[in-house]
Amino acid sequence: MHPETFRHLHNARSNDLQRQAAADRRAAAAPKADLPRKDVRSQLGWALVELGLRLVRTSGDARFRTASAS
């Protein structure tokens, strides 16, 4: 490979890697605003699962029973 071609390719790759590293550093330093939202979603989801299990367990209504339980 011609030395000038190699130098241009090396510089282009080096610039790409430096841009990617800078973007990763910015992303790592940015505040994680979506973490509390995921926590809220998770808590709400588990609360709904618990509510559903309570309804199935305590309900005497036939519509909440499974086919094998009737």
Side-chain angles (χ1 to χ4, degrees), residues 18-48:
Q18 288 175 358
R19 270 190 242 111
Q20 288 176 0
D24 288 345
R25 282 192 296 271
R26 283 191 303 270
K32 305 293 186 212
D34 61 332
L35 287 180
R37 184 174 180 197
K38 288 181 181 177
D39 273 345
V40 170
R41 283 184 180 177
S42 178
Q43 289 175 356
L44 177 62
W46 283 113
L48 290 173

Side-chain angles (χ1 to χ4, degrees), residues 2 15 19 26 32 45-46 51 53 57 70:
H2 192 271
N15 290 338
R19 270 190 242 111
R26 283 191 303 270
K32 305 293 186 212
W46 283 113
L51 175 64
L53 291 174
R57 183 179 56 212
S70 56

Side-chain angles (χ1 to χ4, degrees), residues 46-56:
W46 283 113
L48 290 173
V49 167
E50 184 179 355
L51 175 64
L53 291 174
R54 285 184 185 174
L55 286 172
V56 170

